[in-house]
């Protein structure tokens, strides 16, 4: 399985134990950091060139929205990870997350 991960964690890269663990479970794992490392244009190029099976993102907010659009463009499946208590989010973020989660093919909740 080929996976593209969109993250906000600049430290999630080769050498990081979490990265190495997840990479060992798939055929290919490419990671892009947004918004702190890559432009939207670069992420679009990577997504189109990579022919990914899954695009995963570490939150259901703006990264989730971006990943959803990339999945529509590329035909990849959307996986959204939830690393926060959605009930603790401001109302509009909570509603936005609920909309994004309804469009996900799979959801991973970290407890």
């Amino acid at each position: 399985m080929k996976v593209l991960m969109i993250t906000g964690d600049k430290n999630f890269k080769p050498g990081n134990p979490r990265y190495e663990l997840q990479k060992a479970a798939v055929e290919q794992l490419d990671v892009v950091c947004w918004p702190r490392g890559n432009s939207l244009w670069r992420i679009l190029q990577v997504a189109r060139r990579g022919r990914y099976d899954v695009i995963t993102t570490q939150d259901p907010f703006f990264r989730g929205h971006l990943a959803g659009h990339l999945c529509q463009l590329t035909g990849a499946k959307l996986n959204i990870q939830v690393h926060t208590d959605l009930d603790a989010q401001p109302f509009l973020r909570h509603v936005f997350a609920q909309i994004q989660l309804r469009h996900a093919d799979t959801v991973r909740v970290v407890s």
Side-chain angles (χ1 to χ4, degrees):
M1 177 186 325
K2 293 181 173 184
V3 178
L4 173 63
M5 179 182 288
I6 302 171
T7 181
D9 183 358
K10 285 182 166 182
N11 297 319
F12 195 82
K13 56 188 172 187
N16 180 303
R18 288 184 311 129
Y19 172 88
E20 297 299 336
L21 182 66
Q22 290 185 27
K23 180 160 178 48
V26 296
E27 173 187 344
Q28 177 181 338
L29 175 62
D30 294 329
V31 178
V32 291
C33 186
W34 183 72
R36 296 181 192 100
N38 293 279
S39 68
L40 290 174
W41 179 249
R42 168 142 166 60
I43 294 171
L44 177 61
Q45 289 175 323
V46 169
R48 290 187 124 176
R49 193 175 338 123
R51 300 179 195 237
Y52 296 99
D53 301 306
V54 175
I55 297 176
T56 184
T57 181
Q58 292 184 330
D59 70 61
F61 308 114
F62 296 110
R63 288 183 197 94
H65 187 71
L66 171 62
H69 283 294
L70 292 174
C71 286
Q72 287 178 337
L73 288 172
T74 63
K77 299 292 184 186
L78 174 60
N79 171 263
I80 295 179
Q81 302 170 39
V82 180
H83 292 262
T84 187
D85 179 1
L86 295 178
D87 289 333
Q89 298 297 314
F91 178 75
L92 288 177
R93 265 178 81 107
H94 180 83
V95 170
F96 192 72
Q98 294 300 321
I99 292 167
Q100 294 308 314
L101 289 168
R102 285 191 180 104
H103 289 94
D105 293 295
T106 59
V107 176
R108 176 178 159 225
V109 179
V110 179
S111 62

